[in-house]
Amino acid sequence: MSDEVKVRRVAPKGASGDSVAPRVAKPRARAAKTPLPQMALDLFADVAADLTCGVDEVGRGPLAGPVVTAAVILDPSRPIKGLADSKKLTAQRREALYEEIVERALAYCIAEASVAEIDSLNILHATMLAMQRAVMGLSRVPTLALIDGNRCPALPMRAEAVVQGDDKVPAISAASILAKVTRDRQLVALHEAFPQYGFDEHVGYGTPRHLEALRLHGPSPHHRQSFAPVREAFEVFGALTVSRMARSS
């Protein structure tokens, strides 16, 4: 049997023969950490705060104009009184709340899907597209999106549908107000170009006056061809250009 080799660690001896204490390594100075860019800090802050955005649309039912959506992240430290479903507020109150939301919200974004996109995709898918644009356009990254209604668009964060959310969730109410005021302003401007339809009165909905105008003047380029009353008018009048509409008014 071969002999065992035992290894012992022996402290080195000094000149006098005494043992010398082992050297203790000096701690190295740590290099200063490079500060994170502001965008990364904002993202970490968003995750820590568990930011929630409210999302709503206005304009699914009208015969003309885009569908407009908004996404809003409210600031808990700057509450806004009187938020409610935009349909239950007067135009004057909506306008006042619009300014407060724009000033006090942590982030907001207003987006839309055009008449051409509505006719191409159908109104449901165009609305989902506009909601995606609103959420993705926010300057802060939400961790949860609360969507008014019973359907959610495809989003990279968690999303939940809230039936009648514009009357239950303040952030959705705020989104409803931004979308409503924005779309109403658009239709008032459209009325200046096409006064024969009365867009300033019905903002594109199929009222008796609007339907009568379609029968008399045919559709404008801002009408949705995929909606039955407009499609029927197109079959009678054909697609009208802006110049032809100007001559017929």
mmCIF file of all heavy atoms in Angstrom, residues 38-89:
data_model
loop_
_atom_site.group_PDB
_atom_site.id
_atom_site.type_symbol
_atom_site.label_atom_id
_atom_site.label_comp_id
_atom_site.label_asym_id
_atom_site.label_seq_id
_atom_site.Cartn_x
_atom_site.Cartn_y
_atom_site.Cartn_z
ATOM 1 N N GLN A 38 -32.846 57.933 -17.755
ATOM 2 C CA GLN A 38 -34.129 58.355 -17.197
ATOM 3 C C GLN A 38 -35.269 57.461 -17.667
ATOM 4 O O GLN A 38 -36.189 57.169 -16.908
ATOM 5 C CB GLN A 38 -34.417 59.806 -17.586
ATOM 6 C CG GLN A 38 -35.657 60.374 -16.910
ATOM 7 C CD GLN A 38 -35.531 60.374 -15.397
ATOM 8 O OE1 GLN A 38 -34.496 60.732 -14.853
ATOM 9 N NE2 GLN A 38 -36.586 59.956 -14.705
ATOM 10 N N MET A 39 -35.215 56.997 -18.935
ATOM 11 C CA MET A 39 -36.290 56.151 -19.450
ATOM 12 C C MET A 39 -36.407 54.874 -18.637
ATOM 13 O O MET A 39 -37.504 54.416 -18.325
ATOM 14 C CB MET A 39 -36.041 55.820 -20.926
ATOM 15 C CG MET A 39 -37.160 55.007 -21.566
ATOM 16 S SD MET A 39 -36.851 54.672 -23.313
ATOM 17 C CE MET A 39 -36.860 56.320 -23.985
ATOM 18 N N ALA A 40 -35.248 54.290 -18.272
ATOM 19 C CA ALA A 40 -35.277 53.058 -17.471
ATOM 20 C C ALA A 40 -35.823 53.336 -16.078
ATOM 21 O O ALA A 40 -36.587 52.551 -15.529
ATOM 22 C CB ALA A 40 -33.870 52.472 -17.391
ATOM 23 N N LEU A 41 -35.425 54.480 -15.495
ATOM 24 C CA LEU A 41 -35.943 54.838 -14.172
ATOM 25 C C LEU A 41 -37.455 55.012 -14.213
ATOM 26 O O LEU A 41 -38.174 54.589 -13.309
ATOM 27 C CB LEU A 41 -35.277 56.127 -13.692
ATOM 28 C CG LEU A 41 -33.774 56.022 -13.376
ATOM 29 C CD1 LEU A 41 -33.227 57.405 -13.042
ATOM 30 C CD2 LEU A 41 -33.516 55.060 -12.244
ATOM 31 N N ASP A 42 -37.962 55.650 -15.272
ATOM 32 C CA ASP A 42 -39.405 55.824 -15.413
ATOM 33 C C ASP A 42 -40.108 54.486 -15.506
ATOM 34 O O ASP A 42 -41.179 54.286 -14.929
ATOM 35 C CB ASP A 42 -39.713 56.665 -16.657
ATOM 36 C CG ASP A 42 -39.331 58.125 -16.462
ATOM 37 O OD1 ASP A 42 -39.134 58.530 -15.307
ATOM 38 O OD2 ASP A 42 -39.226 58.844 -17.468
ATOM 39 N N LEU A 43 -39.508 53.547 -16.251
ATOM 40 C CA LEU A 43 -40.120 52.234 -16.410
ATOM 41 C C LEU A 43 -40.188 51.504 -15.077
ATOM 42 O O LEU A 43 -41.207 50.930 -14.714
ATOM 43 C CB LEU A 43 -39.327 51.407 -17.426
ATOM 44 C CG LEU A 43 -39.827 49.974 -17.674
ATOM 45 C CD1 LEU A 43 -41.268 49.993 -18.157
ATOM 46 C CD2 LEU A 43 -38.932 49.260 -18.671
ATOM 47 N N PHE A 44 -39.074 51.546 -14.296
ATOM 48 C CA PHE A 44 -39.072 50.894 -12.991
ATOM 49 C C PHE A 44 -40.099 51.543 -12.069
ATOM 50 O O PHE A 44 -40.779 50.879 -11.306
ATOM 51 C CB PHE A 44 -37.678 50.971 -12.360
ATOM 52 C CG PHE A 44 -36.645 50.153 -13.072
ATOM 53 C CD1 PHE A 44 -35.305 50.503 -13.036
ATOM 54 C CD2 PHE A 44 -37.020 49.038 -13.807
ATOM 55 C CE1 PHE A 44 -34.358 49.746 -13.701
ATOM 56 C CE2 PHE A 44 -36.071 48.280 -14.482
ATOM 57 C CZ PHE A 44 -34.744 48.637 -14.429
ATOM 58 N N ALA A 45 -40.211 52.854 -12.137
ATOM 59 C CA ALA A 45 -41.183 53.561 -11.304
ATOM 60 C C ALA A 45 -42.597 53.167 -11.679
ATOM 61 O O ALA A 45 -43.461 52.998 -10.823
ATOM 62 C CB ALA A 45 -40.998 55.071 -11.450
ATOM 63 N N ASP A 46 -42.843 52.991 -12.979
ATOM 64 C CA ASP A 46 -44.168 52.582 -13.435
ATOM 65 C C ASP A 46 -44.534 51.218 -12.882
ATOM 66 O O ASP A 46 -45.644 50.993 -12.403
ATOM 67 C CB ASP A 46 -44.213 52.539 -14.965
ATOM 68 C CG ASP A 46 -44.208 53.932 -15.578
ATOM 69 O OD1 ASP A 46 -44.388 54.901 -14.824
ATOM 70 O OD2 ASP A 46 -44.019 54.032 -16.799
ATOM 71 N N VAL A 47 -43.590 50.280 -12.956
ATOM 72 C CA VAL A 47 -43.859 48.927 -12.463
ATOM 73 C C VAL A 47 -44.108 48.953 -10.965
ATOM 74 O O VAL A 47 -45.017 48.309 -10.448
ATOM 75 C CB VAL A 47 -42.679 47.997 -12.808
ATOM 76 C CG1 VAL A 47 -42.877 46.640 -12.146
ATOM 77 C CG2 VAL A 47 -42.566 47.838 -14.317
ATOM 78 N N ALA A 48 -43.297 49.747 -10.242
ATOM 79 C CA ALA A 48 -43.458 49.823 -8.799
ATOM 80 C C ALA A 48 -44.798 50.443 -8.422
ATOM 81 O O ALA A 48 -45.426 50.054 -7.454
ATOM 82 C CB ALA A 48 -42.317 50.640 -8.199
ATOM 83 N N ALA A 49 -45.241 51.409 -9.227
ATOM 84 C CA ALA A 49 -46.489 52.096 -8.903
ATOM 85 C C ALA A 49 -47.718 51.323 -9.367
ATOM 86 O O ALA A 49 -48.826 51.679 -9.018
ATOM 87 C CB ALA A 49 -46.489 53.483 -9.543
ATOM 88 N N ASP A 50 -47.518 50.288 -10.186
ATOM 89 C CA ASP A 50 -48.631 49.504 -10.710
ATOM 90 C C ASP A 50 -49.654 50.419 -11.388
ATOM 91 O O ASP A 50 -50.817 50.482 -11.006
ATOM 92 C CB ASP A 50 -49.292 48.707 -9.585
ATOM 93 C CG ASP A 50 -50.249 47.642 -10.133
ATOM 94 O OD1 ASP A 50 -50.066 47.228 -11.287
ATOM 95 O OD2 ASP A 50 -51.174 47.246 -9.410
ATOM 96 N N LEU A 51 -49.199 51.131 -12.396
ATOM 97 C CA LEU A 51 -50.028 52.132 -13.063
ATOM 98 C C LEU A 51 -51.174 51.486 -13.836
ATOM 99 O O LEU A 51 -50.983 50.501 -14.545
ATOM 100 C CB LEU A 51 -49.177 52.970 -14.023
ATOM 101 C CG LEU A 51 -48.101 53.840 -13.373
ATOM 102 C CD1 LEU A 51 -47.353 54.610 -14.437
ATOM 103 C CD2 LEU A 51 -48.720 54.789 -12.367
ATOM 104 N N THR A 52 -52.348 52.061 -13.698
ATOM 105 C CA THR A 52 -53.541 51.597 -14.402
ATOM 106 C C THR A 52 -54.030 52.692 -15.332
ATOM 107 O O THR A 52 -54.126 53.854 -14.928
ATOM 108 C CB THR A 52 -54.656 51.243 -13.405
ATOM 109 O OG1 THR A 52 -54.222 50.164 -12.581
ATOM 110 C CG2 THR A 52 -55.931 50.827 -14.143
ATOM 111 N N CYS A 53 -54.326 52.315 -16.558
ATOM 112 C CA CYS A 53 -54.910 53.286 -17.487
ATOM 113 C C CYS A 53 -56.350 52.883 -17.792
ATOM 114 O O CYS A 53 -56.699 51.703 -17.793
ATOM 115 C CB CYS A 53 -54.097 53.394 -18.781
ATOM 116 S SG CYS A 53 -54.266 52.012 -19.934
ATOM 117 N N GLY A 54 -57.177 53.879 -18.002
ATOM 118 C CA GLY A 54 -58.548 53.657 -18.443
ATOM 119 C C GLY A 54 -58.643 53.936 -19.926
ATOM 120 O O GLY A 54 -57.984 54.848 -20.437
ATOM 121 N N VAL A 55 -59.439 53.151 -20.630
ATOM 122 C CA VAL A 55 -59.549 53.276 -22.086
ATOM 123 C C VAL A 55 -61.022 53.274 -22.486
ATOM 124 O O VAL A 55 -61.810 52.461 -21.990
ATOM 125 C CB VAL A 55 -58.829 52.105 -22.806
ATOM 126 C CG1 VAL A 55 -58.843 52.302 -24.319
ATOM 127 C CG2 VAL A 55 -57.401 51.954 -22.294
ATOM 128 N N ASP A 56 -61.380 54.202 -23.378
ATOM 129 C CA ASP A 56 -62.759 54.244 -23.865
ATOM 130 C C ASP A 56 -62.772 54.764 -25.294
ATOM 131 O O ASP A 56 -61.790 55.344 -25.777
ATOM 132 C CB ASP A 56 -63.625 55.123 -22.980
ATOM 133 C CG ASP A 56 -65.120 54.815 -23.134
ATOM 134 O OD1 ASP A 56 -65.461 53.874 -23.876
ATOM 135 O OD2 ASP A 56 -65.939 55.522 -22.517
ATOM 136 N N GLU A 57 -63.897 54.556 -25.973
ATOM 137 C CA GLU A 57 -64.060 55.015 -27.352
ATOM 138 C C GLU A 57 -65.328 55.842 -27.466
ATOM 139 O O GLU A 57 -66.245 55.730 -26.649
ATOM 140 C CB GLU A 57 -64.134 53.827 -28.313
ATOM 141 C CG GLU A 57 -65.214 52.786 -27.992
ATOM 142 C CD GLU A 57 -66.621 53.207 -28.336
ATOM 143 O OE1 GLU A 57 -66.790 54.057 -29.248
ATOM 144 O OE2 GLU A 57 -67.558 52.704 -27.692
ATOM 145 N N VAL A 58 -65.362 56.638 -28.520
ATOM 146 C CA VAL A 58 -66.563 57.397 -28.874
ATOM 147 C C VAL A 58 -66.686 57.353 -30.393
ATOM 148 O O VAL A 58 -65.702 57.559 -31.098
ATOM 149 C CB VAL A 58 -66.473 58.864 -28.401
ATOM 150 C CG1 VAL A 58 -67.636 59.681 -28.954
ATOM 151 C CG2 VAL A 58 -66.458 58.928 -26.884
ATOM 152 N N GLY A 59 -67.897 57.065 -30.861
ATOM 153 C CA GLY A 59 -68.131 57.124 -32.295
ATOM 154 C C GLY A 59 -68.262 55.798 -33.007
ATOM 155 O O GLY A 59 -68.031 55.718 -34.215
ATOM 156 N N ARG A 60 -68.692 54.749 -32.316
ATOM 157 C CA ARG A 60 -68.905 53.476 -33.012
ATOM 158 C C ARG A 60 -70.183 53.501 -33.845
ATOM 159 O O ARG A 60 -70.242 52.890 -34.910
ATOM 160 C CB ARG A 60 -68.963 52.320 -32.003
ATOM 161 C CG ARG A 60 -67.610 51.945 -31.429
ATOM 162 C CD ARG A 60 -67.688 50.758 -30.490
ATOM 163 N NE ARG A 60 -68.110 49.542 -31.170
ATOM 164 C CZ ARG A 60 -68.089 48.329 -30.628
ATOM 165 N NH1 ARG A 60 -67.669 48.180 -29.371
ATOM 166 N NH2 ARG A 60 -68.481 47.280 -31.293
ATOM 167 N N GLY A 61 -71.210 54.201 -33.370
ATOM 168 C CA GLY A 61 -72.502 54.166 -34.034
ATOM 169 C C GLY A 61 -72.742 55.153 -35.151
ATOM 170 O O GLY A 61 -73.594 54.908 -36.010
ATOM 171 N N PRO A 62 -72.040 56.291 -35.216
ATOM 172 C CA PRO A 62 -72.335 57.295 -36.236
ATOM 173 C C PRO A 62 -72.134 56.801 -37.663
ATOM 174 O O PRO A 62 -71.430 55.820 -37.911
ATOM 175 C CB PRO A 62 -71.357 58.423 -35.911
ATOM 176 C CG PRO A 62 -71.095 58.274 -34.458
ATOM 177 C CD PRO A 62 -71.083 56.801 -34.216
ATOM 178 N N LEU A 63 -72.744 57.515 -38.601
ATOM 179 C CA LEU A 63 -72.629 57.180 -40.018
ATOM 180 C C LEU A 63 -71.436 57.864 -40.666
ATOM 181 O O LEU A 63 -71.117 57.566 -41.826
ATOM 182 C CB LEU A 63 -73.904 57.598 -40.764
ATOM 183 C CG LEU A 63 -75.233 57.072 -40.205
ATOM 184 C CD1 LEU A 63 -76.394 57.610 -41.038
ATOM 185 C CD2 LEU A 63 -75.237 55.554 -40.170
ATOM 186 N N ALA A 64 -70.791 58.784 -39.957
ATOM 187 C CA ALA A 64 -69.689 59.548 -40.532
ATOM 188 C C ALA A 64 -68.629 59.845 -39.483
ATOM 189 O O ALA A 64 -68.898 59.828 -38.283
ATOM 190 C CB ALA A 64 -70.211 60.858 -41.127
ATOM 191 N N GLY A 65 -67.439 60.121 -39.967
ATOM 192 C CA GLY A 65 -66.342 60.501 -39.089
ATOM 193 C C GLY A 65 -65.595 59.306 -38.512
ATOM 194 O O GLY A 65 -66.064 58.165 -38.579
ATOM 195 N N PRO A 66 -64.423 59.549 -37.935
ATOM 196 C CA PRO A 66 -63.616 58.464 -37.364
ATOM 197 C C PRO A 66 -64.180 57.982 -36.038
ATOM 198 O O PRO A 66 -65.053 58.628 -35.452
ATOM 199 C CB PRO A 66 -62.251 59.138 -37.163
ATOM 200 C CG PRO A 66 -62.611 60.565 -36.876
ATOM 201 C CD PRO A 66 -63.789 60.867 -37.756
ATOM 202 N N VAL A 67 -63.684 56.841 -35.573
ATOM 203 C CA VAL A 67 -63.939 56.406 -34.204
ATOM 204 C C VAL A 67 -62.739 56.870 -33.392
ATOM 205 O O VAL A 67 -61.587 56.678 -33.799
ATOM 206 C CB VAL A 67 -64.136 54.875 -34.100
ATOM 207 C CG1 VAL A 67 -62.934 54.096 -34.616
ATOM 208 C CG2 VAL A 67 -64.436 54.475 -32.660
ATOM 209 N N VAL A 68 -63.005 57.545 -32.278
ATOM 210 C CA VAL A 68 -61.947 58.164 -31.474
ATOM 211 C C VAL A 68 -61.841 57.450 -30.136
ATOM 212 O O VAL A 68 -62.855 57.145 -29.499
ATOM 213 C CB VAL A 68 -62.237 59.664 -31.256
ATOM 214 C CG1 VAL A 68 -61.156 60.297 -30.377
ATOM 215 C CG2 VAL A 68 -62.314 60.397 -32.596
ATOM 216 N N THR A 69 -60.623 57.192 -29.710
ATOM 217 C CA THR A 69 -60.382 56.530 -28.431
ATOM 218 C C THR A 69 -59.407 57.358 -27.601
ATOM 219 O O THR A 69 -58.685 58.210 -28.124
ATOM 220 C CB THR A 69 -59.799 55.116 -28.616
ATOM 221 O OG1 THR A 69 -58.532 55.231 -29.286
ATOM 222 C CG2 THR A 69 -60.726 54.243 -29.432
ATOM 223 N N ALA A 70 -59.394 57.083 -26.310
ATOM 224 C CA ALA A 70 -58.431 57.746 -25.427
ATOM 225 C C ALA A 70 -58.009 56.780 -24.337
ATOM 226 O O ALA A 70 -58.772 55.887 -23.951
ATOM 227 C CB ALA A 70 -59.031 59.007 -24.806
ATOM 228 N N ALA A 71 -56.782 56.952 -23.864
ATOM 229 C CA ALA A 71 -56.255 56.209 -22.718
ATOM 230 C C ALA A 71 -55.728 57.229 -21.719
ATOM 231 O O ALA A 71 -55.041 58.185 -22.109
ATOM 232 C CB ALA A 71 -55.148 55.256 -23.154
ATOM 233 N N VAL A 72 -56.040 57.024 -20.444
ATOM 234 C CA VAL A 72 -55.676 57.998 -19.416
ATOM 235 C C VAL A 72 -55.124 57.284 -18.185
ATOM 236 O O VAL A 72 -55.708 56.299 -17.719
ATOM 237 C CB VAL A 72 -56.886 58.865 -19.001
ATOM 238 C CG1 VAL A 72 -56.481 59.852 -17.900
ATOM 239 C CG2 VAL A 72 -57.459 59.610 -20.190
ATOM 240 N N ILE A 73 -54.006 57.783 -17.669
ATOM 241 C CA ILE A 73 -53.487 57.365 -16.364
ATOM 242 C C ILE A 73 -53.645 58.554 -15.434
ATOM 243 O O ILE A 73 -52.999 59.594 -15.620
ATOM 244 C CB ILE A 73 -52.003 56.955 -16.441
ATOM 245 C CG1 ILE A 73 -51.800 55.797 -17.426
ATOM 246 C CG2 ILE A 73 -51.491 56.552 -15.049
ATOM 247 C CD1 ILE A 73 -50.344 55.422 -17.636
ATOM 248 N N LEU A 74 -54.516 58.441 -14.460
ATOM 249 C CA LEU A 74 -54.760 59.534 -13.530
ATOM 250 C C LEU A 74 -53.669 59.613 -12.465
ATOM 251 O O LEU A 74 -53.021 58.606 -12.143
ATOM 252 C CB LEU A 74 -56.125 59.365 -12.857
ATOM 253 C CG LEU A 74 -57.348 59.493 -13.764
ATOM 254 C CD1 LEU A 74 -58.618 59.182 -12.984
ATOM 255 C CD2 LEU A 74 -57.430 60.893 -14.386
ATOM 256 N N ASP A 75 -53.483 60.801 -11.923
ATOM 257 C CA ASP A 75 -52.508 61.031 -10.857
ATOM 258 C C ASP A 75 -53.260 61.050 -9.520
ATOM 259 O O ASP A 75 -54.056 61.960 -9.269
ATOM 260 C CB ASP A 75 -51.808 62.372 -11.093
ATOM 261 C CG ASP A 75 -50.688 62.624 -10.088
ATOM 262 O OD1 ASP A 75 -50.598 61.876 -9.096
ATOM 263 O OD2 ASP A 75 -49.918 63.569 -10.309
ATOM 264 N N PRO A 76 -53.044 60.054 -8.646
ATOM 265 C CA PRO A 76 -53.770 60.016 -7.361
ATOM 266 C C PRO A 76 -53.532 61.261 -6.506
ATOM 267 O O PRO A 76 -54.372 61.613 -5.675
ATOM 268 C CB PRO A 76 -53.219 58.758 -6.678
ATOM 269 C CG PRO A 76 -52.650 57.937 -7.783
ATOM 270 C CD PRO A 76 -52.149 58.903 -8.803
ATOM 271 N N SER A 77 -52.396 61.909 -6.687
ATOM 272 C CA SER A 77 -52.092 63.093 -5.881
ATOM 273 C C SER A 77 -52.782 64.347 -6.409
ATOM 274 O O SER A 77 -52.743 65.395 -5.754
ATOM 275 C CB SER A 77 -50.572 63.326 -5.849
ATOM 276 O OG SER A 77 -50.083 63.686 -7.123
ATOM 277 N N ARG A 78 -53.400 64.234 -7.598
ATOM 278 C CA ARG A 78 -54.099 65.392 -8.178
ATOM 279 C C ARG A 78 -55.494 64.947 -8.640
ATOM 280 O O ARG A 78 -55.774 64.839 -9.832
ATOM 281 C CB ARG A 78 -53.302 65.965 -9.349
ATOM 282 C CG ARG A 78 -51.882 66.342 -9.007
ATOM 283 C CD ARG A 78 -51.203 67.022 -10.177
ATOM 284 N NE ARG A 78 -51.722 68.379 -10.383
ATOM 285 C CZ ARG A 78 -51.443 69.123 -11.452
ATOM 286 N NH1 ARG A 78 -50.701 68.622 -12.415
ATOM 287 N NH2 ARG A 78 -51.941 70.340 -11.568
ATOM 288 N N PRO A 79 -56.379 64.666 -7.691
ATOM 289 C CA PRO A 79 -57.708 64.151 -8.044
ATOM 290 C C PRO A 79 -58.523 65.162 -8.834
ATOM 291 O O PRO A 79 -58.343 66.376 -8.717
ATOM 292 C CB PRO A 79 -58.339 63.860 -6.682
ATOM 293 C CG PRO A 79 -57.616 64.752 -5.729
ATOM 294 C CD PRO A 79 -56.212 64.855 -6.237
ATOM 295 N N ILE A 80 -59.427 64.622 -9.655
ATOM 296 C CA ILE A 80 -60.312 65.445 -10.484
ATOM 297 C C ILE A 80 -61.744 65.152 -10.064
ATOM 298 O O ILE A 80 -62.207 64.013 -10.170
ATOM 299 C CB ILE A 80 -60.107 65.143 -11.974
ATOM 300 C CG1 ILE A 80 -58.650 65.408 -12.369
ATOM 301 C CG2 ILE A 80 -61.057 65.983 -12.833
ATOM 302 C CD1 ILE A 80 -58.309 64.945 -13.776
ATOM 303 N N LYS A 81 -62.445 66.155 -9.605
ATOM 304 C CA LYS A 81 -63.814 65.972 -9.165
ATOM 305 C C LYS A 81 -64.787 65.996 -10.344
ATOM 306 O O LYS A 81 -64.582 66.718 -11.314
ATOM 307 C CB LYS A 81 -64.195 67.072 -8.170
ATOM 308 C CG LYS A 81 -63.420 67.026 -6.861
ATOM 309 C CD LYS A 81 -63.889 68.124 -5.920
ATOM 310 C CE LYS A 81 -63.126 68.085 -4.602
ATOM 311 N NZ LYS A 81 -63.578 69.153 -3.668
ATOM 312 N N GLY A 82 -65.837 65.183 -10.229
ATOM 313 C CA GLY A 82 -66.907 65.226 -11.222
ATOM 314 C C GLY A 82 -66.732 64.325 -12.414
ATOM 315 O O GLY A 82 -67.507 64.416 -13.372
ATOM 316 N N LEU A 83 -65.749 63.415 -12.388
ATOM 317 C CA LEU A 83 -65.577 62.501 -13.508
ATOM 318 C C LEU A 83 -66.776 61.556 -13.597
ATOM 319 O O LEU A 83 -67.207 60.990 -12.590
ATOM 320 C CB LEU A 83 -64.291 61.691 -13.346
ATOM 321 C CG LEU A 83 -62.977 62.464 -13.488
ATOM 322 C CD1 LEU A 83 -61.794 61.559 -13.185
ATOM 323 C CD2 LEU A 83 -62.850 63.062 -14.880
ATOM 324 N N ALA A 84 -67.291 61.387 -14.802
ATOM 325 C CA ALA A 84 -68.446 60.523 -15.016
ATOM 326 C C ALA A 84 -68.509 60.168 -16.495
ATOM 327 O O ALA A 84 -67.720 60.663 -17.308
ATOM 328 C CB ALA A 84 -69.737 61.228 -14.576
ATOM 329 N N ASP A 85 -69.428 59.295 -16.826
ATOM 330 C CA ASP A 85 -69.666 58.944 -18.223
ATOM 331 C C ASP A 85 -69.907 60.232 -19.014
ATOM 332 O O ASP A 85 -70.764 61.046 -18.651
ATOM 333 C CB ASP A 85 -70.881 58.019 -18.293
ATOM 334 C CG ASP A 85 -71.247 57.637 -19.721
ATOM 335 O OD1 ASP A 85 -70.559 58.050 -20.669
ATOM 336 O OD2 ASP A 85 -72.253 56.916 -19.867
ATOM 337 N N SER A 86 -69.151 60.425 -20.093
ATOM 338 C CA SER A 86 -69.242 61.678 -20.852
ATOM 339 C C SER A 86 -70.646 61.939 -21.377
ATOM 340 O O SER A 86 -71.052 63.102 -21.532
ATOM 341 C CB SER A 86 -68.250 61.655 -22.017
ATOM 342 O OG SER A 86 -68.565 60.609 -22.928
ATOM 343 N N LYS A 87 -71.402 60.885 -21.624
ATOM 344 C CA LYS A 87 -72.763 61.056 -22.164
ATOM 345 C C LYS A 87 -73.702 61.676 -21.129
ATOM 346 O O LYS A 87 -74.749 62.210 -21.479
ATOM 347 C CB LYS A 87 -73.317 59.706 -22.642
ATOM 348 C CG LYS A 87 -72.535 59.084 -23.798
ATOM 349 C CD LYS A 87 -73.182 57.825 -24.310
ATOM 350 C CE LYS A 87 -73.129 56.687 -23.312
ATOM 351 N NZ LYS A 87 -71.735 56.230 -23.019
ATOM 352 N N LYS A 88 -73.345 61.588 -19.859
ATOM 353 C CA LYS A 88 -74.190 62.115 -18.797
ATOM 354 C C LYS A 88 -73.816 63.548 -18.400
ATOM 355 O O LYS A 88 -74.411 64.114 -17.482
ATOM 356 C CB LYS A 88 -74.126 61.201 -17.574
ATOM 357 C CG LYS A 88 -74.661 59.791 -17.832
ATOM 358 C CD LYS A 88 -74.617 58.948 -16.586
ATOM 359 C CE LYS A 88 -75.198 57.555 -16.838
ATOM 360 N NZ LYS A 88 -75.176 56.711 -15.619
ATOM 361 N N LEU A 89 -72.833 64.109 -19.071
ATOM 362 C CA LEU A 89 -72.366 65.455 -18.752
ATOM 363 C C LEU A 89 -72.794 66.436 -19.837
ATOM 364 O O LEU A 89 -72.935 66.072 -21.004
ATOM 365 C CB LEU A 89 -70.838 65.468 -18.629
ATOM 366 C CG LEU A 89 -70.223 64.544 -17.577
ATOM 367 C CD1 LEU A 89 -68.715 64.493 -17.742
ATOM 368 C CD2 LEU A 89 -70.593 65.017 -16.173
#
